[in-house]
Every structure is written in C-alpha cells, then in structure tokens.
Amino acid sequence: MGRTLSEKVWDEHVVRTAEGEPDLLYVDLHLIHEVTSPQAFEGLRLAGRRVRRPDLTLATEDHNVPTLDVDKPIADPVSRTQVETLRKNAAEFGVRLHPLGDVEQGIVHVVGPQLGLTQPGMTIVCGDSHTSTHGAFGAIAFGIGTSEVEHVLATQTLPQARPRTMAVTVNGSLPAGVTAKDLVLTLIAHTGTGGGQGYIVEYRGQAIEELSMEARMTICNMSIEWGAKAGMIAPDQTTFDYIEGRPEAPKGEAWDAAVEHWKSLRTDDDATFDREIVLDASTMTPFVTWGTNPGQGVPLGAAVPGPADFEDEGDKVAAEKALEYMGLDAGTPMRDIQVDTVFVGSCTNGRIEDLRAAAEVIKGRHVADGTRLLVVPGSVRVRLQAEDEGLDVVFKEAGGEWRGAGCSMCLGMNPDQLAPQERSASTSNRNFEGRQGKGGRTHLVSPLVAAATAVTGTLASPDDLPPLA
Amino acid sequence: MEKFTRHVGTGLPLRRSNVDTDQIIPAVYLKRVTRTGFEDGLFGAWRNDPEFVLNRPEHQGVSVLVAGPDFGTGSSREHAVWALMDYGFKVVISSRFADIFRGNSGKAGLVAAQVTQDVVEQLWKQIEADPTTEIVVDLEARTIQAAAITAPFQIDDYTRWRLLEGLDDIGITLSHEADIDVFESTRPDWKPATL
C-alpha cells in the first residue's frame, strides 16, 4: 500500500524501532533561541555531555530582544542575562549563533527558511511550538520542550511515537482579498483548538497548491493552534524555486540530487489518511477572532457570538469567560470593534510578502487618530528587503512605527506590550489572555485586515476603505 | 528523575477548558535561566483574583490538578510543567492534553492522566463537596480513586514505564549510540549543515 508524505519522511529518519517503544527519530536541523535553551545547556554541562552535532544546530535571538535601540545593550537586565547566556552557551558548545545586530538575526522560523536551511524531507525541531512553520517545505517540523532540547543537543535524536495522519484538502481558489491567514483561522474555528491532537496534517488541494511559500508557512505555522503535531505541504516547483540559490541550499550536482529526491515526497495515490477534512476555499472571507483562543473566530462580516450560540456546555462557559475578558457584548458587529494597536509581524505574518500586502493597503492613507501601528519585520533580512522596496517609508508616512526584527508583541516578552484593556488587531497567532501584555485584548487578523484596521481604527478589510483620490 | 508509583493528595478543581500554557505561566516569567523556582508564576494572571480557585483557603496544599479539556495548549514552554511541579502538583487530570504539554510532563516527571470528561465532572463535584477528599493516583494500575469514584486513566506505556523507573531519557538513547552512528553514515551529502 502507498504511503503518505509524512510517513515517507518519518520512515527516512527512523534510527531505531522496537516493540513497545517509540521510534528513535533522527533530527536534521535543531533550531535554538534564548528562552527555552538555557536549562538544556546547563543540563549538558551538569552531565558532562557535548552537543553531538553542532553542525546541525543553529541559534538566533528573537523572543525577548528589543525592537528599538537594538545597537545598545538590552535595558531589561533579566532579558539581557538570558541573551548573554545563549551567547555564552553557543560559544562554549560551538553552535553557530546569529545574535542581535547580525544581518541574519530574526525570528528563528523566518531565519531557517530564508537561509535555505529549511528543505523538503527534513526533520526539524526547536523549543518553540511554531516550529510547525517549516512544514510548508514538506519537512516534519514540530515544537519541543526544554528536556527534549537537551535530548536533541546530546543525541541528535528524539524518541517519538508515530503520529496518526490527517489530510486537510482545500478545494477551489481563495477569492481576491482572502489570504492564507483567513484560511487557517477558518479551519481552526471549524476544528477547535484540540482537533488536530495526535496528527501530522498534510494540507493539500488546489487552494494550497496556489499559495506562495510565505503563505504556506502561515498555514503550517498555525497547525499548532488546532493542536496538530505538525503540518506539512508537499514540495513542488514553488518550493524548489524558493530554495534555489539561498545561502545554504544545495548547489550544482547536489542540487539536482536533492530535487530528484524531493520530487518523490508526495502522498501516493493509494495511500490513506486516518482522517480527512475537506474545505472549500472559494466561499471563504476575511476571518477574525473575537475570543481568547484561536478557535474562537468568525467572518469579519459577522457579529460577536454569545454563549447561546454554542451547544456544548464547555463552549458556552468558554464563550462567557472570553466575552468578559475581551470586554465585548454578544451581537456587536465585528466591524464595530475599536482597536488601539495594530501589530504587523511575527513568525505567522512577518515575512516580506506580508509587509508588502500591508503596505499596499496603507500606501497613501493614514493611521486613524488614537490608533497605533507597529510594524516588526520577522528578520533583519526582511527589514532590509522592505527598506529596499521603500515599504518602511510607506508605513512611516502613514504614521506607523517601523521596528527592528524579533517576536516582539506576538508574545510581549520584550517592551512591546499592550497595556491592560488595550485592544489589538494582530497578525500573530495567539489571542490568549494576556498574551500581548497583561490584560491586553487580541484579535487575530490577516495582514490585509490589519492594515485596513489601522486606517479606520475599527476592524476592517481593504474593501471597506474609500478609494484613494 | 524521581520514581513515581502512587500518589495520594488533595485536588484542585479548575473548571476551565483550553487552559493554555500562557495562562499556566505567563511569558514574563520565562526570562529566567534556572530550572526551578517557577511556583510564583503559576497561573500568574489568574492568581491576582482572590477568588481564583488556587487562592481559596480550602484548596491550600493541593497536589492533583483536575482541569477541563485541552489542557496545556499553545506554547511549548516546559516552564508550565516546572511551575506546576514547583508549586507542588504531582498529577494533572484532564480529558484531553495538548501533545507538547503531555510530552514535557512525561520528561519532567509530572503525571498527565487522561480520563473521560465524565470522570472530570465527578471529581470536580467530589472535591467541591469535600476539598479534603484524598485522591489516589496509582500509576502502576493506571487508576484514580477518590471517595466513591474509581476510574481508569490513560497514559502511554513507554511514559508510564519511564516514570515508574525514574529513568533518564538521554541515558536510554545514548545506550543506542551505535545505531545513531550507523544512521549518520547513511545520510545524503546534500543535507544542509550550519557549520
């Protein structure tokens, strides 16, 4: 019988298999950042262990680094200590690090692909749940905890139970103005935050094939928000074109050999999935969240739901708590919700294509009075590219703030945070309570909705804006 | 890791679903470089509310958390497990755990015991009726017992074995180092390297 994409990649990485034990899986690339690695390196030190494969390991600083005054020492002493600890560990264990100020610094899930390190058929792990991003290239990529970070550092492997397989088939084409972010938010509202638990998901179908690599990364990035172990998309010409010529991509004969192998990484026609979900992209619209988990979303044209709209008792309670936290009344049209801050960035939507989309909407317009627009490129390279294209000027002329690269307000570990009760429209991935700052209220949106919202001050899509004179 | 065979303690009824790891420990506490001392960050935002269940006088000294479905979603931060353990929790009971949280629990020595939502409801009622109820979690037998409630729980065989034996995962894997060496010798040349 045929095999699915994920089964093929999994099988290629099994070091050891034994009855009653999880498979021992080889890790092709281990990405590291400052927040989830210090205790892992300390564990190695205490046990007198080395990093088995520093040449398959890459570190960058992203989670708690500032996006202003990046040439000065980090003001917060606790953040500074953590970043310095990473630098010390990288030097001691011989791991390549792209620190703050380096041209390759940025969010770890933006840096891997842009360097060409993320390639089809690989296994990629990182102590960060959004590692699922790299699945867009046809890699098995998932987030791990710090104990597992230590395990990978010491052994370059992980014991892993083989997950079940799921296909999410998205037929049709996305209408104009509807993005990969809207697609994945629609999916998560459909499945709930736990719908993918235990599965490696393959996204497939016409709508997925038509997406750029950046958009595919947005989809795979949010696999974790519906609980999936990992999300993957079969590599195709779009994938190969994105990788070719990047600094760490194979060259010459190695490239030909790699592409030949990558072309075999497709689900066989006679393979079966343990579960399948089918969606129609052509009926999708801009989609936004109203609650405190990514599954609590509705079309932008809808109203805030209330507990009565849910059948399940748990969902009713969750809706009630979410509305209270979000300061919203059931029945309020989503478009009437006023927003204080618009955040464009993160590993979900902080790549060049996202900034281009937002800039195109903002160009020639102005940020609404009382609204703040914060644009944080996903990496220094993205920032430089955007500046080359004049996007920074577009944002600044509209009244937005143009910042250095990092995770920033996605998780509020650095100074970029919401104040209590402050409301954001955010291109990031999590609307959890307090995620962007204690008491802050988050609506997850696409870059297009973010930009339009910055202009109107209320949740909006570009179609809501008056035409430019 | 300490061996875990059986635990007896009182329970905390957390009547919430989708308790994400940002709620278990907010990001601000993640800047530390130590592995212990995270108890102050546990449910950091919710604990500001004096009525939050963990603040109630009748629930002091608890060691078994009974939570709604989809516990531990979101961020991979193992700090969530450390914060629970540092506070004194030995077991979390829920009808559904997020994969990464479940994995982190098994590595760090916290038992993530999966039961049906019906059992969760029964436990909530029992604990609320009598907060001093002793909950017995038997990993050997994979059962939970509290007052008149007796229920099986799910945990995968391998994690159970490691917890019962208190085994270090890395040590186990390094005993298979020869297999890793063989595997590495067969990797294609065109796979990327960072150095």
Side-chain angles (χ1 to χ4, degrees):
Chain A
M1 199 177 76
R3 292 179 300 161
T4 65
L5 165 63
S6 71
E7 288 167 334
K8 289 182 183 181
V9 179
W10 187 279
D11 291 346
E12 280 180 17
H13 291 85
V14 175
V15 171
R16 181 178 180 276
T17 184
E19 183 67 26
E21 291 179 32
D23 287 348
L24 189 63
L25 211 60
Y26 198 79
V27 173
D28 285 324
L29 177 65
H30 186 194
L31 301 168
I32 303 270
H33 63 86
E34 74 275 17
V35 176
T36 56
S37 65
Q39 297 88 352
F41 281 113
E42 184 62 14
L44 289 188
R45 207 174 278 122
L46 289 172
R49 289 170 176 149
R50 65 195 171 103
V51 174
R52 182 180 175 91
R53 296 297 299 263
D55 61 326
L56 304 182
T57 311
L58 181 80
T60 182
E61 300 165 0
D62 55 5
H63 275 64
N64 77 35
V65 296
T67 57
L68 285 174
D69 299 325
V70 295
D71 51 341
K72 300 197 180 92
I74 298 174
D76 175 354
V78 191
S79 291
R80 191 168 66 228
T81 298
Q82 195 168 55
V83 167
E84 282 169 357
T85 302
L86 178 64
R87 291 174 189 177
K88 190 167 68 70
N89 286 332
E92 181 181 337
F93 288 94
V95 171
R96 170 171 156 192
L97 168 71
H98 293 299
L100 197 60
D102 186 277
V103 72
E104 301 297 351
Q105 180 263 338
I107 306 175
V108 64
H109 311 309
V110 177
V111 169
Q114 89 190 359
L115 281 170
L117 280 170
T118 301
Q119 296 173 16
M122 291 174 69
T123 45
I124 301 175
V125 299
C126 173
D128 185 277
S129 59
H130 291 112
T131 308
S132 57
T133 311
H134 306 266
F137 291 79
I140 290 180
F142 53 90
I144 57 178
T146 298
S147 294
E148 291 172 314
V149 170
E150 185 180 336
H151 195 118
V152 178
L153 287 172
T155 71
Q156 203 59 31
T157 66
L158 265 185
Q160 288 285 309
R162 187 181 276 264
R164 288 171 289 173
T165 59
M166 192 192 312
V168 171
T169 304
V170 192
N171 295 317
S173 296
L174 283 172
V178 183
T179 68
K181 184 65 165 289
D182 303 302
L183 191 165
V184 73
L185 286 173
T186 303
L187 169 66
I188 301 167
H190 174 79
T191 60
T193 58
Q197 269 167 32
Y199 291 96
I200 294 187
V201 176
E202 182 182 339
Y203 302 98
R204 56 213 307 253
Q206 185 187 343
I208 301 296
E209 289 163 20
E210 289 173 358
L211 295 175
S212 67
M213 286 316 297
E214 282 89 347
R216 292 179 188 184
M217 284 189 254
T218 300
I219 305 258
C220 288
N221 172 277
M222 290 195 70
S223 301
I224 186 66
E225 307 312 334
W226 58 293
K229 174 81 183 174
M232 303 177 81
I233 295 172
D236 60 10
Q237 197 58 44
T238 303
T239 320
F240 310 148
D241 290 346
Y242 180 95
I243 298 169
E244 191 169 14
R246 292 188 181 265
E248 307 295 349
K251 310 273 188 299
E253 283 176 22
W255 171 258
D256 296 337
V259 171
E260 190 187 329
H261 178 65
W262 296 345
K263 284 181 173 168
S264 72
L265 300 175
R266 306 194 69 80
T267 293
D268 296 325
D269 290 341
D270 58 343
T272 55
F273 292 91
D274 296 318
R275 197 182 153 202
E276 184 155 12
I277 294 174
V278 181
L279 297 173
D280 178 5
S282 67
T283 61
M284 291 183 187
T285 63
F287 211 86
V288 296
T289 63
W290 54 271
T292 53
N293 73 58
Q296 291 176 319
V298 289
L300 174 65
V304 177
D309 295 316
F310 297 92
E311 301 213 335
D312 178 80
E313 198 52 44
D315 288 343
K316 282 181 193 288
V317 174
E320 199 178 311
K321 285 190 193 296
L323 290 182
E324 188 190 335
Y325 181 84
M326 292 295 288
L328 293 173
D329 294 320
T332 306
M334 292 305 294
R335 281 193 166 89
D336 287 359
I337 295 173
Q338 281 214 335
V339 164
D340 305 297
T341 290
V342 173
F343 172 64
V344 176
S346 84
C347 59
T348 311
N349 282 127
R351 285 170 286 268
I352 188 68
E353 182 181 288
D354 303 308
L355 302 193
R356 283 181 192 140
E360 197 178 315
V361 175
I362 289 277
K363 192 174 175 127
R365 297 186 162 100
H366 205 272
V367 175
D369 287 344
T371 303
R372 169 169 70 139
L373 169 63
L374 194 64
V375 185
V376 181
S379 69
V380 174
R381 290 278 183 204
V382 169
R383 183 185 153 111
L384 295 174
Q385 173 75 29
E387 289 175 354
D388 241 24
E389 297 177 20
L391 306 185
D392 58 323
V393 178
V394 171
F395 291 120
K396 285 190 275 194
E397 282 184 354
E401 296 175 43
W402 179 248
R403 295 292 188 88
C407 299
S408 179
M409 193 181 270
C410 175
L411 84 166
M413 274 194 85
N414 76 350
D416 306 337
Q417 298 185 19
L418 296 179
Q421 276 82 57
E422 195 179 345
R423 188 181 298 280
S424 78
S426 176
T427 66
S428 57
N429 41 56
R430 288 186 177 139
N431 50 344
F432 297 154
E433 289 182 24
R435 170 83 176 175
Q436 297 190 291
K438 205 169 185 176
R441 296 161 169 169
T442 303
H443 296 275
L444 300 179
V445 301
S446 74
L448 291 177
V449 168
T453 300
V455 173
T456 61
T458 51
L459 290 177
S461 76
D463 287 346
D464 299 325
L465 302 179
L468 287 170
Chain B
M1 193 162 72
E2 274 180 49
K3 289 185 184 184
F4 187 114
T5 47
R6 185 172 177 272
H7 175 73
V8 183
T10 53
L12 184 77
L14 183 62
R15 284 186 177 266
R16 291 194 72 134
S17 59
N18 277 297
V19 177
D20 59 76
T21 53
D22 274 76
Q23 305 316 312
I24 300 172
I25 187 158
V28 64
Y29 295 96
L30 273 49
K31 296 181 187 179
R32 299 173 184 169
V33 296
T34 53
R35 197 161 188 149
T36 54
F38 288 93
E39 63 275 8
D40 58 334
L42 180 67
F43 298 120
W46 292 348
R47 263 159 89 182
N48 290 331
D49 173 6
E51 288 305 304
F52 178 57
V53 66
L54 195 62
N55 292 331
R56 301 287 308 163
E58 66 271 27
H59 291 311
Q60 299 312 298
V62 290
S63 57
V64 179
L65 178 63
V66 186
D70 295 316
F71 188 84
T73 55
S75 159
S76 63
R77 59 189 70 168
E78 193 166 317
H79 310 66
V81 173
W82 301 338
L84 286 162
M85 295 182 76
D86 289 346
Y87 186 87
F89 285 104
K90 306 286 185 201
V91 181
V92 182
I93 298 171
S94 173
S95 65
R96 211 158 53 183
F97 291 97
D99 286 335
I100 302 177
F101 179 86
R102 187 205 305 270
N104 288 343
S105 297
K107 304 285 179 193
L110 180 71
V111 171
Q114 188 170 332
V115 299
T116 61
Q117 184 58 24
D118 178 54
V119 170
V120 170
E121 303 276 352
Q122 289 180 46
L123 289 169
W124 280 343
K125 281 185 193 140
Q126 174 61 39
I127 299 166
E128 283 162 356
D130 178 7
T132 67
T133 303
E134 281 196 338
I135 303 174
V136 183
V137 179
D138 187 332
L139 183 59
E140 193 95 50
R142 279 185 259 221
T143 57
I144 293 165
Q145 184 267 317
I149 306 162
T150 303
F153 70 84
Q154 284 180 26
I155 189 165
D156 72 85
D157 294 341
Y158 186 72
T159 302
R160 172 176 165 273
W161 170 70
R162 281 185 39 257
L163 289 167
L164 286 172
E165 302 292 330
L167 291 174
D168 166 20
D169 237 13
I170 298 177
I172 299 172
T173 298
L174 286 176
S175 72
H176 305 305
E177 205 164 6
D179 293 326
I180 304 174
D181 292 339
V182 169
F183 183 89
E184 284 179 332
S185 69
T186 65
R187 294 179 76 236
D189 298 342
W190 44 261
K191 289 262 185 182
T194 58
L195 296 177

